[in-house]
Amino acid sequence: MRIDVVSIFPSYFDGLTLSLLGKAQSAGILDLRVRDLRDWTFDRHRTVDDTPYGGGAGMVMKPEPWGLALDELAAGSPRPTIIFPSPAGEPFTQAAARDLATRKHLVFGCGRYEGIDERVFEYAQTLGEVRLVSLGDYVLNGGEVAAMAMIEAIGRLIPGVVGNPESLVEESHEDGLLEYPSYTKPALWRERSVPDILLSGNHGAIATWRREQQIERTRARRPDLLHGD
Ligand code: 6GU
């Protein structure tokens, strides 16, 4: 998979060279390219923002650098998926990550300030499938941290990135429930013991207990997941 990122703070993404996604890049499974939006500006100050038409607080990202960036990154790619992280977008979920992990080419456009000129989103639809995607109901200063979270969630679902594919199955959200609790040695630690059932060797009973734990935790912490609301 190829992933292009456009940002005015490309060094945010340095962390993605670490760990699993770094290995995936060295192995040629993931081709991640981070670009500075200012590379598509031509004035002395490399200006990417301007005041909003109609007035109001803050600044808006100018359309011209975005248009040139998207033209260059989409060139030769048959309709890439173009993702703009935005608190006004659709929710990013594990199902969305699974879907996006099947794409050949993703482009992340990271906005800052009060956002990007609305015409950029319209224009981007002429080049690919455009998605505005939100991490949740809170506000970040820009799309960078959100894009990194999405790239990590998507990247680990690309076949070959996570060494043992079974470890992808029994995780929170993969089956619509939160994950069951995990324990390791020692069996007694600071007067706290591991649940007896896990030491019983009865794999059927362990599977049943884990499922009960998943349901109980989901009821307590995320009842919305059980009721479909
Ligand atoms: Cl995707 N972007 C920004 N700027 N803030 C957010 C977000 C995204 N998701 C939640 N808050």
Side-chain angles (χ1 to χ4, degrees):
M1 177 189 283
R2 173 176 161 197
I3 301 180
D4 289 296
V5 178
V6 182
S7 165
I8 57 167
F9 296 118
S11 51
Y12 257 100
F13 297 88
D14 290 353
L16 293 177
T17 62
L18 303 170
S19 189
L20 276 180
L21 289 194
K23 273 191 204 144
Q25 289 170 79
S26 314
I29 300 170
L30 175 64
D31 177 12
L32 176 65
R33 310 178 193 178
V34 183
R35 300 288 304 269
D36 189 336
L37 179 67
R38 293 189 203 276
D39 290 352
W40 292 281
T41 60
F42 301 97
D43 62 308
R44 216 153 55 83
H45 297 106
R46 309 183 83 197
T47 311
V48 293
D49 62 336
D50 206 337
T51 54
Y53 276 122
M59 299 290 269
V60 174
M61 290 190 117
K62 297 165 59 61
E64 300 97 322
W66 280 110
L68 293 169
L70 294 171
D71 285 345
E72 181 173 329
L73 298 176
S77 194
R79 291 191 72 72
T81 301
I82 305 171
I83 300 166
F84 294 100
S86 164
E90 57 174 309
F92 184 68
T93 60
Q94 190 65 22
R98 277 194 295 265
D99 168 34
L100 293 168
T102 68
R103 312 291 173 110
K104 275 189 128 95
H105 184 192
L106 304 178
V107 179
F108 282 87
C110 300
R112 282 263 149 184
Y113 315 113
E114 298 311 305
I116 303 173
D117 186 300
E118 189 70 18
R119 293 167 293 182
V120 171
F121 307 121
E122 292 170 29
Y123 176 72
Q125 292 181 50
T126 70
L127 301 174
E129 179 188 340
V130 174
R131 305 272 287 269
L132 270 69
V133 185
S134 169
L135 283 197
D137 295 337
Y138 44 83
V139 178
L140 305 171
N141 284 334
E144 282 79 7
V145 167
M148 277 201 279
M150 293 186 223
I151 291 167
E152 185 159 307
I154 294 163
R156 63 195 294 286
L157 298 177
I158 301 169
V161 172
V162 168
N164 178 4
E166 279 195 41
S167 60
L168 295 174
V169 180
E170 295 190 354
E171 289 180 319
S172 293
H173 303 297
E174 272 302 334
D175 57 6
L177 297 171
L178 304 186
E179 70 187 343
Y180 54 75
S182 300
Y183 300 85
T184 188
K185 294 177 278 299
L188 184 64
W189 175 72
R190 299 194 179 187
E191 293 168 13
R192 289 148 210 271
S193 49
V194 170
D196 285 335
I197 183 106
L198 297 176
L199 311 176
S200 70
N202 182 339
H203 299 297
I206 291 170
T208 303
W209 179 84
R210 283 177 167 166
R211 176 56 50 150
E212 287 164 359
Q213 291 289 311
Q214 285 191 279
I215 293 165
E216 177 50 29
R217 293 181 143 197
T218 307
R219 189 196 60 72
R221 299 176 190 171
R222 293 293 306 278
D224 57 305
L225 296 179
L226 294 175
H227 304 134
D229 49 26

